[in-house]
Amino acid sequence: MVLTIAAAVFVFGLLVLVHELGHFITAKMTGMRVDEFAIGFGPKIFSFTRGETVYSLRAIPLGGFNDIAGMDPANNEAGARGYCEKPVLSRMIVILAGSAMNFVLPVVLFFGIFFFSGVSTPNPEPVLGTVIAGKAADLAGLKDGDRIISLDGKEISSWTEFVDNVKDNPGKPIAVVANRGGETIETTMIPALDEKSQRAMVGVMSSVDTRETGLFESMGLALQKTGLIIVMMLDALMQIILKLSGSELAGPIGVAQMAGEVAQMGFVPLLNFAAFLSLNLGIVNLFPIPALDGGHFVTLCVEAVRGKPMSPKALEYTQKVGIVLLLLLMVLATKNDIVRVFTGG
């Protein structure tokens, strides 16, 4: 539980910090007055003032905000430095900067992973790389580095054979013979059905072979991996829209649960997860829903075409519609989280 909470706070905190930093930096660069830069919501835990801005850390680490003066034209106390008084282009830059930073963060994280940890490729040998705590293999007493000799008396000579002999046997005890530093280990493990993949799993990852990479190769690999994940996410989102299915949506509870599970595998996997989630946040936040940055950007495009802002009533209406849509998505995601928690999915 402690690891899950710590991992969730780290991931949420990092993503929110980077996102809000994008808004903050561009607001300052375009001459806007920022009254507060906050990480989290709720009561202040810690704060200090530098210049005209209050920097604060708040109790609920599930978001953050920039209090930019003049966001509401009716209450602009900053004059020419208010958001509403700045050119449309300046406001567009500020609105898009948050998501832009969420696309930059994964490149930085992947670069660091490749440069400092190298490139890892799966080892074809039947050697356990990571055994996840609390899963079937761990409960059976297997450990990182164990070489699988046989399953139910059948000799195992490759990782593929190990996976093939496990995936179709959910709930069935499997007799395992393994080698650990020259010592023979005999035990029994019971694979559990993974609801998402609909196959049996025992909570292990293969061992890997690692090679070092240089500065430029690391950057190239980071850009390549970021691009591939973006394409994959867009395709997955398209499938969700076409099927009108939100069964794979996850809310804060689900994300926190996943962060805890990934953290058990190590810090590098957690950084990979943070990068993946950052891209997800960046893409979703660009949706043309009024309460999101993408929706705000659309209203700015309308203003640029019309030559004047939308009326206060029209803005209020679109904001309400956006909030309702987000609340419905949050309810669906929370329902999915609860189902996963109680069904072990």
Side-chain angles (χ1 to χ4, degrees):
M1 178 61 75
V2 174
L3 181 60
T4 297
I5 294 173
V9 169
F10 169 76
V11 171
F12 282 125
L14 179 62
L15 266 57
V16 170
L17 174 64
V18 168
H19 183 91
E20 295 302 331
L21 200 58
H23 293 312
F24 175 78
I25 292 172
T26 50
K28 289 284 191 180
M29 288 176 62
T30 53
M32 298 178 190
R33 193 185 82 193
V34 183
D35 294 329
E36 183 177 357
F37 176 84
I39 298 300
F41 295 114
K44 291 181 182 178
I45 297 175
F46 170 77
S47 68
F48 66 92
T49 302
R50 178 168 293 179
E52 62 188 11
T53 305
V54 175
Y55 300 84
S56 65
L57 179 65
R58 294 174 177 256
I60 305 173
L62 297 179
F65 63 89
N66 280 282
D67 184 6
I68 302 175
M71 291 294 291
D72 180 3
N75 297 301
N76 179 27
E77 299 176 353
R81 296 191 61 207
Y83 172 87
C84 60
E85 294 295 325
K86 293 298 180 180
V88 173
L89 180 59
S90 295
R91 284 179 276 156
M92 285 180 171
I93 291 171
V94 172
I95 290 302
L96 295 179
S99 290
M101 288 294 282
N102 284 126
F103 289 108
V104 171
L105 176 62
V107 176
V108 174
L109 292 179
F110 288 142
F111 168 79
I113 291 170
F114 288 131
F115 187 72
F116 292 105
S117 300
V119 175
S120 298
T121 55
N123 185 338
E125 299 294 317
V127 178
L128 305 184
T130 301
V131 177
I132 302 174
K135 300 298 183 180
D138 175 59
L139 296 175
L142 295 173
K143 299 183 182 300
D144 298 359
D146 287 354
R147 172 181 286 271
I148 304 300
I149 304 301
S150 68
L151 297 178
D152 280 340
K154 180 180 179 180
E155 183 179 348
I156 301 298
S157 58
S158 69
W159 183 258
T160 301
E161 288 184 358
F162 172 74
V163 173
D164 289 342
N165 281 272
V166 168
K167 66 180 183 180
D168 297 325
N169 295 294
K172 176 187 174 184
I174 299 177
V176 182
V177 177
N179 182 286
R180 181 184 301 161
E183 178 185 359
T184 299
I185 307 295
E186 296 185 11
T187 185
T188 300
M189 63 181 179
I190 304 177
L193 179 66
D194 178 71
E195 295 292 341
K196 187 174 182 179
S197 63
Q198 285 298 304
R199 68 177 189 176
M201 291 189 176
V202 294
V204 297
M205 297 175 64
S206 68
S207 59
V208 295
D209 296 323
T210 304
R211 68 175 180 84
E212 294 183 357
T213 57
L215 182 69
F216 294 107
E217 184 182 6
S218 296
M219 179 55 71
L221 289 170
L223 291 170
Q224 182 183 32
K225 185 170 183 177
T226 300
L228 288 173
I229 293 176
I230 290 174
V231 171
M232 179 187 69
M233 284 184 173
L234 291 175
D235 180 65
L237 286 170
M238 184 61 67
Q239 294 303 315
I240 290 174
I241 293 171
L242 291 176
K243 296 178 182 178
L244 294 177
S245 171
S247 60
E248 296 185 3
L249 290 175
I253 298 173
V255 173
Q257 186 181 31
M258 287 185 280
E261 292 175 353
V262 173
Q264 294 180 28
M265 303 177 193
F267 188 60
V268 170
L270 186 61
L271 291 179
N272 272 289
F273 178 70
F276 184 88
L277 206 61
S278 184
L279 289 173
N280 192 289
L281 176 62
I283 291 172
V284 171
N285 208 44
L286 290 177
F287 282 7
I289 298 175
L292 298 177
D293 288 347
H296 201 151
F297 179 73
V298 170
T299 63
L300 290 174
C301 290
V302 172
E303 179 180 341
V305 172
R306 295 177 73 231
K308 61 180 180 179
M310 294 173 61
S311 68
K313 283 190 176 181
L315 286 172
E316 181 183 359
Y317 176 75
T318 56
Q319 288 292 329
K320 287 180 177 179
V321 171
I323 290 171
V324 170
L325 288 174
L326 286 179
L327 286 174
L328 289 174
L329 286 174
M330 184 59 69
V331 169
L332 177 59
T334 303
K335 184 270 292 183
N336 291 344
D337 289 347
I338 293 172
V339 170
R340 291 188 188 102
V341 168
F342 284 99
T343 62

